[in-house]
Amino acid sequence: MNITQTNKFANNQKEPTAKTGISILQLIFFQRKYILISLGFMIISVLLNLTSPLFMKQMIDTAIPEKNWSLLVGLIIGLISIPIFVTLFTFLGDKYNHRIGAYVTDQLRKKMFYKLTHFSPKTYNHLKSGDIAGRMYSCGEVGDLYITQFVVPGILHGLMFIGITGIMIYLNWKLTIISLVILPIMFFLSKKPAMSIRNISQNVMQLQQELSSYTTELVQGLKTVQTLNQVQKENDYQYKWIDNYRIERTKAFIVGSFSELLNKGQQALGIGVLFGYGSYEIFQGNLSIGSLVAFVAYFSQLFGSLEKAQFGLVKGIELKPKLEMIKEILDVNDEQDFETTSPTPLKIKGEIKFQNVSFAYDGDRGQVNNINLHIKPGHLIGIVGPSGGGKSTILDLLLGFYTPDSGSIFLDQYNLKEIPLKELRSKMTLVSQDVFLWNKSIKDNLQYANPDASIQDLEKACYEAQILDFIQQLPQGWDTVVGERGVKISGGEKQRLAIARALLRNPQIILMDEPTSALDSKTEAHLQEHLERIFKGKTVIIVAHRLATIRNADSILVIKDGEVAEVGTHEELLERKGIYDQLYREQFQAN
Ligand SMILES: Nc1ncnc2c1ncn2[C@@H]1O[C@H](COP(=O)(O)OP(=O)(O)OP(=O)(O)O)[C@@H](O)[C@H]1O
Ligand SMILES: [Mg+2]
């Protein structure tokens, strides 16, 4: 055999796709054109902003003393129009920033969803659904915030700082030195509140995360909670959460306000010092009044820039835990390849072989040991055995959800690990032990397996699965919505819908994990008659606790403690007087 797996993931695209791992900085880099445009607008607005104090200086030092009306009018028009143009250019710059931010956000979201849907069970078994939902929603906007509140203020106010300092030196270098001594002290003083904000914001994030995963779990388990009389306990937990959350939010508010107060105080103090020393310089004849006014205006701008840069820094610090949560998902390297297909579609007869297959979930927990099986194409195989023995695990191995730690599985002549997953899954269908249905209509749930299925196809499959009568007598018929995970229909109805869904796919191999455990014996017997007819020629594996379900199987495997304990037909196994015989007697007596 020769199935070459072409790796379509090779990262040679220019633009990132959802598949490629990539950092935020790289994402920003892909938007360099817009960054340059936005930077251009920002530089224009910075330069304009820098001119207004010079206009003031000119007015105080020249136009007013000389009573030069035309100059005065010109300067006043300038002072009026500068802020308007500054706002206009800032708006244009911002427009592009948001565009870049939205792009980064979209890419991060796409990547998160891509990763999530491609994780193998090894990874997603450990995930908490609410936790993931929380990350998707609240962390989604991170890209936008990162650009507009961290990167851009950083660049913009960095530029402002350089420009303003240059002009200040030109106006009076001594005053500039005083300003540059005052500023780092101020910066240092406000560092501590910034660090506290970071810790608090981390706590707030954690609390939000906790609530979101807790609520998802609670909704799923509400019935159990009520049955076990634990409502009070859950309420206590929720009230405690609400209190904690309020405390953290209050802390954040207080620290934020305190930090603002500190800033304003520092600025006022700084201006006071400048006016004091500046006046001295004027008395000495080293400085004009206009220059001092302009200087103080620049100092305010400088301080404003620093404040905004610091605000950006705090935002960046606040965003860090969110970014890390995204990274935690993006950095997991456990993607399954669902895209690759073999060059020529595989044709299989449906023969299955397990050769010395061993597998364990965690260390030595949940093992199957040295499984050897040979299932002929078109055979119906029953698997029975005590709970926890490894029956579902064998089906999961066959479906490629897990790979054997040792040994090999073959589908016809192909080693399973060489068959692309997409192709493998197209050859099999599974009716699993816990049926999953979307909170959608019956029709949507059935067509999910085969979007091309016509209503006649649905009717046929549902008839064979013994569920058509039920659907037809529902007031909304096919459009009946089944509730989350199918809570609005019974366990047996869910199972029969799952069987109908599997029949709509009609592959060569059919796996069923206790598909009829919730049915009464009469319905099960009816269903079996139909299925035996439909399944003719297909390889079918049915896991069952009720032995009547698999009595007519071509061969029955008894799985115990992760090993094949017995193999044979119903009659052969009874004759052996082993585990199967014992199970049979127990059930026979119970009935
Ligand atoms: N995701 C998992 N991680 C760790 N251990 C697991 C996991 N799934 C199952 N196990 C363990 O593996 C063993 C086999 O489980 P499996 O589900 O295959 O049993 P089973 O024969 O299908 O049982 P049942 O008849 O109850 O469905 C059990 O001991 C189980 O606790
Ligand atoms: Mg099972």
Side-chain angles (χ1 to χ4, degrees):
M1 64 153 287
N2 180 21
I3 302 171
T4 44
Q5 294 212 21
T6 45
N7 187 2
K8 286 210 227 154
F9 292 162
N11 180 10
N12 52 11
Q13 297 100 325
K14 269 204 184 129
E15 283 274 305
T17 66
K19 298 166 199 168
T20 51
I22 208 149
S23 71
I24 289 204
L25 284 179
Q26 281 167 300
L27 285 173
I28 296 174
F29 180 71
F30 282 113
Q31 295 287 294
R32 55 193 176 277
K33 183 173 128 204
Y34 295 117
I35 293 205
L36 286 179
I37 296 177
S38 135
L39 213 58
F41 284 125
M42 286 193 293
I43 289 173
I44 296 174
S45 86
V46 166
L47 289 176
L48 277 175
N49 221 347
L50 287 180
T51 56
S52 34
L54 289 178
F55 278 50
M56 282 192 242
K57 173 183 155 57
Q58 195 69 5
M59 199 147 66
I60 296 169
D61 286 349
T62 317
I64 297 176
E66 291 172 8
K67 295 209 173 92
N68 183 341
W69 282 101
S70 54
L71 181 61
L72 201 62
V73 171
L75 290 171
I76 289 175
I77 292 174
L79 278 175
I80 295 171
S81 40
I82 286 171
I84 297 173
F85 282 105
V86 166
T87 313
L88 178 72
F89 285 110
T90 310
F91 161 77
L92 288 173
D94 273 352
K95 196 174 142 237
Y96 284 95
N97 291 331
H98 278 288
R99 191 184 176 127
I100 302 161
Y103 169 82
V104 173
T105 294
D106 288 359
Q107 291 296 328
L108 287 178
R109 279 224 169 98
K110 282 180 189 170
K111 273 169 215 310
M112 295 252 285
F113 273 116
Y114 181 87
K115 277 273 181 180
L116 185 67
T117 45
H118 284 69
F119 279 152
S120 80
K122 245 191 186 133
T123 301
Y124 64 65
N125 282 346
H126 296 294
L127 297 177
K128 293 196 272 180
S129 47
D131 178 62
I132 291 295
R135 280 174 211 227
M136 290 292 180
Y137 294 122
S138 78
C139 300
E141 82 278 36
V142 158
D144 210 357
L145 296 180
Y146 188 77
I147 305 291
T148 53
Q149 304 204 353
F150 177 62
V151 178
V152 171
I155 300 175
L156 185 65
H157 297 288
L159 289 175
M160 282 285 271
F161 196 91
I162 296 169
I164 295 172
T165 315
I167 300 180
M168 280 172 120
I169 293 173
Y170 158 77
L171 286 175
N172 186 300
W173 64 269
K174 284 189 212 152
L175 274 180
T176 311
I177 290 179
I178 294 181
S179 312
L180 292 183
V181 170
I182 298 173
L183 282 172
I185 298 175
M186 293 177 169
F187 196 75
F188 180 76
L189 281 178
S190 42
K191 207 175 155 205
K192 190 139 181 57
M195 291 313 279
S196 319
I197 290 176
R198 171 200 160 129
N199 292 340
I200 297 168
S201 99
Q202 230 156 9
N203 293 348
V204 171
M205 273 292 295
Q206 220 158 16
L207 281 170
Q208 283 172 350
Q209 207 68 37
E210 223 176 88
L211 183 73
S212 128
S213 43
Y214 167 80
T215 311
T216 313
E217 231 177 325
L218 181 73
V219 172
Q220 280 168 7
L222 203 50
K223 204 168 169 187
T224 311
V225 172
Q226 290 176 351
T227 316
L228 295 176
N229 269 336
Q230 295 297 336
V231 173
Q232 188 64 42
K233 189 176 150 199
E234 295 312 321
N235 283 159
D236 289 346
Y237 172 82
Q238 291 144 8
Y239 298 159
K240 207 169 126 221
W241 183 94
I242 290 170
D243 286 342
N244 280 342
Y245 191 70
R246 190 198 55 242
I247 292 167
E248 288 302 317
R249 294 291 297 222
T250 312
K251 262 198 232 163
F253 171 73
I254 291 173
V255 174
S257 308
F258 174 70
S259 146
E260 176 121 2
L261 192 75
L262 203 68
N263 276 348
K264 291 282 176 259
Q266 286 164 1
Q267 190 183 8
L269 209 67
I271 290 175
V273 170
L274 286 184
F275 266 126
Y277 185 76
S279 305
Y280 170 76
E281 286 279 289
I282 293 173
F283 299 155
Q284 297 290 314
N286 295 337
L287 191 72
S288 67
I289 300 177
S291 293
L292 179 60
V293 172
F295 199 93
V296 172
Y298 281 123
F299 180 78
S300 293
Q301 277 192 359
L302 194 68
F303 192 82
S305 270
L306 201 71
E307 212 176 31
K308 291 207 181 94
Q310 204 178 29
F311 174 80
L313 199 71
V314 171
K315 284 289 158 199
I317 291 170
E318 279 180 4
L319 282 177
K320 208 157 174 245
K322 288 192 178 190
L323 276 176
E324 245 131 54
M325 288 175 134
I326 292 184
K327 257 175 80 67
E328 258 174 45
I329 299 276
L330 295 186
D331 287 353
V332 179
N333 261 333
D334 172 40
E335 274 169 47
Q336 302 179 94
D337 174 356
F338 295 131
E339 276 82 3
T340 305
T341 46
S342 39
T344 45
L346 294 186
K347 282 216 167 59
I348 59 151
K349 299 197 298 286
E351 182 184 33
I352 295 165
K353 256 188 284 183
F354 275 57
Q355 272 178 3
N356 308 321
V357 171
S358 296
F359 168 76
Y361 288 99
D362 292 318
D364 54 0
R365 203 179 99 70
Q367 290 184 340
V368 289
N369 287 324
N370 205 23
I371 303 269
N372 283 293
L373 304 174
H374 183 189
I375 300 172
K376 293 201 181 111
H379 269 201
L380 174 80
I381 303 298
I383 301 186
V384 297
S387 175
K391 302 180 294 294
S392 301
T393 307
I394 290 178
L395 299 190
D396 277 354
L397 284 166
L398 195 51
L399 279 156
F401 278 116
Y402 302 98
T403 38
D405 297 332
S406 62
S408 308
I409 303 172
F410 290 93
L411 192 57
D412 285 13
Q413 71 273 37
Y414 306 113
N415 191 327
L416 211 64
K417 67 180 177 202
E418 283 161 13
I419 305 178
L421 277 181
K422 186 173 181 180
E423 193 127 26
L424 178 67
R425 306 267 159 91
S426 73
K427 305 292 175 212
M428 298 183 189
T429 190
L430 168 75
V431 179
S432 77
Q433 205 167 6
D434 58 315
V435 172
F436 173 81
L437 296 173
W438 290 102
N439 185 12
K440 290 185 178 172
S441 71
I442 289 180
K443 188 169 154 217
D444 288 343
N445 268 297
L446 291 172
Q447 281 181 331
Y448 194 67
N450 179 2
D452 300 329
S454 65
I455 202 77
Q456 285 78 22
D457 296 333
L458 299 191
E459 273 172 4
K460 186 162 175 283
C462 289
Y463 168 73
E464 306 288 14
Q466 299 285 292
I467 188 75
L468 187 62
D469 288 348
F470 166 75
I471 297 170
Q472 282 173 339
Q473 54 87 33
L474 285 168
Q476 258 111 40
W478 296 103
D479 295 323
T480 310
V481 174
V482 297
E484 218 166 291
R485 298 187 72 88
V487 285
K488 291 188 188 165
I489 55 176
S490 82
E493 285 152 7
K494 238 178 357 183
Q495 282 189 333
R496 280 174 287 160
L497 271 185
I499 292 173
R501 184 171 62 182
L503 295 182
L504 282 167
R505 297 213 30 206
N506 195 31
Q508 187 54 29
I509 298 173
I510 292 158
L511 310 176
M512 299 193 149
D513 200 345
E514 297 206 46
T516 52
S517 59
L519 301 187
D520 60 90
S521 319
K522 204 171 133 210
T523 314
E524 188 189 22
H526 269 275
L527 180 61
Q528 254 174 333
E529 270 174 40
H530 286 259
L531 293 187
E532 272 170 29
R533 180 166 45 76
I534 304 171
F535 288 165
K536 269 233 148 55
K538 297 193 187 292
T539 309
V540 182
I541 303 180
I542 302 181
V543 175
H545 277 294
R546 203 163 12 179
L547 300 186
T549 315
I550 43 100
R551 192 188 169 125
N552 297 332
D554 294 305
S555 181
I556 296 167
L557 306 168
V558 182
I559 303 292
K560 190 169 179 245
D561 297 334
E563 293 181 13
V564 183
E566 295 170 9
V567 190
T569 60
H570 175 71
E571 285 73 22
E572 284 164 4
L573 289 175
L574 284 185
E575 258 171 49
R576 251 181 90 151
K577 305 249 173 287
I579 305 167
Y580 185 85
D581 178 57
Q582 199 185 335
L583 284 174
Y584 185 75
R585 277 163 202 281
E586 280 162 13
Q587 290 191 7
F588 188 69
Q589 274 161 11
N591 288 330

